[in-house]
Amino acid sequence: LNKGALGYLELIFQSISFTAPAIAVTSTMTGAAAFAYVALPLTYVLALLGVLSAGFVVYAFSRKVASSGGYYRYIERGFGARMGGFGGWVYMLYTVIGATPFIYFETALAAQYGLGILGVNIPSWSWYPIGIVVALGALGLAYSGIKNSLRYSVYTGAIEMVLLLVIAFLILAKSSNPFDLAVFTPKYSPTGWQGVALGLVFSFTSLAGWGSMTFLGTEARSAHVNIRKGVIATILVLGIFFLFMSYAMTVGWGPANMSTYSGNFLPGLILALQDGGFVIAAVMFLFIVNSGFVDTLAIINAGSRDMYTMAKDGMLVDKLAETHAKYKSPHISLLTNTVIGLVIFTITGWYFGPFNGFILTGVWTGTGTIIDHILINTSLPLYFRKLKQLKLGYVLVPLVATAIY
């Protein structure tokens, strides 16, 4: 691997890209809104607090451990090699088996629905070639080296977030009531706190990926410092950003109309078209698709390094531990990750339909991340007990994070 190639900003955008901000804001938030309705912003206040507790665990681990194994290595340090291997396999469920085909589906569906909103109709089967193009394009860029893929993610990701903020301010400017603090209470949730709690599950999901920079520990400069600072900075940036965007989307859609919000695949793009006009909506559409593309990059960069490290440790076949002589990328693991993702994308998409395939792989993704974070949370006090550096916070905060997850 290309040791010392990545700086602080590139680490942050690895994790930001994994959350796909444009897709999360314009589409994924519908899951939380389906239960919380107008209390959608409240779910992000709670999600931010919950993710910060989980972030503390990674923060503490990164003081001592920096590796291309990321979560796999954290679990191994606390539990030992066998459970660490299990954690590595679970992360493969999360990224390789779940998130890789999931993002192919989400990007393809976003392209289809987005073009429809803009008045362009394409064939119903077009989800499949769109997904393949996304997969092969991301593979090519990741194959060419981590520096190239993250430089692209930094530039386009920064523009994407600025564009989203501009659209949010346009939406608020055209709203009849841009200041409605009641959205931060369960007042408008039809089932009260129960709806908020169910919506919180989906808000957590939209924030998933903040810890993926840990898999770049070998390639990061000053890894122990930059990953530790980067994880907390990423959580705060994403949490506050999604909180503000959820507020703009809720107010823009209208509290009285939130029951219809989740019935649309891309309600955020509808608002961009309504309040920003066709040109802004068309630019937003391009960045929604690009958001899926850089998310694919982030997913396979993390998943391939999980496989690469497990192969180096004898947990997977040796071939997966090879790196490209010129680009220093784990090219065999990248190819394997992409092929597995495409096979699952093909089978589930054609057998169940693309939308059901999207839901199914999303369930696998969510299951993998929940199990892995519970293992990491439990591993932290075990690891620091081995080091004879155990503190009360290393026990209590992981318990809080586990309870929330």
Side-chain angles (χ1 to χ4, degrees):
L1 297 177
N2 194 0
K3 295 182 180 179
L6 304 176
Y8 182 64
L9 192 61
E10 289 154 327
L11 292 174
I12 285 179
F13 271 91
Q14 159 65 23
S15 291
I16 286 177
S17 298
F18 205 118
T19 67
I23 284 185
V25 166
T26 58
S27 177
T28 313
M29 282 184 181
T30 57
F35 296 97
Y37 283 58
V38 185
L40 173 63
L42 175 60
T43 68
Y44 277 96
V45 173
L46 300 175
L48 175 56
L49 296 175
V51 174
L52 278 172
S53 65
F56 171 82
V57 176
V58 175
Y59 177 90
F61 259 123
S62 62
R63 290 178 55 213
K64 302 288 185 180
V65 183
S67 161
S68 58
Y71 291 174
Y72 154 63
R73 188 65 79 208
Y74 292 168
I75 296 167
E76 180 215 39
R77 290 296 172 89
F79 283 102
R82 182 173 296 182
M83 187 60 76
F86 174 71
W89 277 99
V90 170
Y91 195 78
M92 287 175 60
L93 167 64
Y94 171 27
T95 52
V96 180
I97 297 171
T100 300
F102 173 81
I103 194 58
Y104 297 163
F105 280 122
E106 188 165 33
T107 309
L109 290 170
Q112 279 190 319
Y113 282 100
L115 286 171
I117 290 169
L118 296 176
V120 180
N121 294 314
I122 58 176
S124 60
W125 48 262
S126 60
W127 62 271
Y128 189 62
I130 293 171
I132 291 176
V133 169
V134 169
L136 298 181
L139 172 63
L141 194 50
Y143 193 98
S144 73
I146 191 66
K147 190 74 176 178
N148 288 340
S149 59
L150 282 180
R151 187 180 291 119
Y152 180 84
S153 297
V154 169
Y155 293 151
T156 62
I159 296 171
E160 174 184 325
M161 294 181 77
V162 170
L163 178 61
L164 285 167
L165 288 173
V166 169
I167 290 172
F169 282 114
L170 284 173
I171 290 170
L172 291 174
K174 296 196 174 184
S175 171
S176 59
N177 184 19
F179 303 105
D180 187 354
L181 296 182
V183 301
F184 295 104
T185 73
K187 173 183 176 181
Y188 291 127
S189 173
T191 55
W193 282 107
Q194 181 183 0
V196 172
L198 290 171
L200 180 60
V201 174
F202 291 90
S203 295
F204 271 130
T205 301
S206 66
L207 287 166
W210 52 266
S212 66
M213 70 174 73
T214 61
F215 288 86
L216 305 179
T218 299
E219 293 151 294
R221 294 191 296 273
S222 304
H224 292 288
V225 174
N226 283 334
I227 290 176
R228 187 164 74 250
K229 289 164 42 182
V231 162
I232 300 303
T234 299
I235 292 172
L236 289 173
V237 168
L238 285 174
I240 295 169
F241 178 79
F242 281 170
L243 172 59
F244 175 69
M245 294 304 302
S246 67
Y247 177 82
M249 295 296 156
T250 302
V251 170
W253 199 262
N257 304 318
M258 280 302 283
S259 61
T260 64
Y261 185 84
S262 61
N264 297 275
F265 192 81
L266 288 172
L269 185 60
I270 294 173
L271 282 174
L273 180 62
Q274 171 187 300
D275 295 327
F278 182 83
V279 173
I280 287 180
V283 174
M284 185 71 259
F285 167 75
L286 293 176
F287 276 93
I288 288 171
V289 175
N290 185 73
S291 185
F293 176 75
V294 294
D295 190 2
T296 307
L297 268 177
I299 290 167
I300 64 174
N301 275 332
S304 64
R305 281 155 179 80
D306 179 54
M307 290 193 289
Y308 162 84
T309 309
M310 289 179 69
K312 284 188 68 177
D313 291 351
M315 298 282 184
L316 295 172
V317 295
D318 293 343
K319 194 76 175 171
L320 293 172
E322 292 185 7
T323 55
H324 194 279
K326 178 180 179 181
Y327 303 123
K328 299 183 180 180
S329 59
H331 59 304
I332 304 299
S333 288
L334 282 166
L335 283 166
T336 303
N337 189 335
T338 301
V339 168
I340 292 172
L342 282 172
V343 168
I344 295 172
F345 174 69
T346 301
I347 293 173
T348 57
W350 287 113
Y351 187 80
F352 298 108
F355 187 78
N356 289 330
F358 163 70
I359 297 297
L360 180 62
T361 54
V363 170
W364 296 342
T365 302
T367 301
T369 189
I370 289 170
I371 295 172
D372 242 7
H373 275 288
I374 290 173
L375 289 172
I376 296 164
N377 295 340
T378 311
S379 179
L380 181 72
L382 298 177
Y383 175 57
F384 277 93
R385 188 178 66 177
K386 289 180 182 179
L387 298 179
K388 302 188 186 308
Q389 297 177 17
L390 185 62
K391 300 177 183 178
L392 183 61
Y394 293 159
V395 177
L396 295 181
V397 178
L399 282 175
V400 172
T402 298
I404 293 173
Y405 268 85

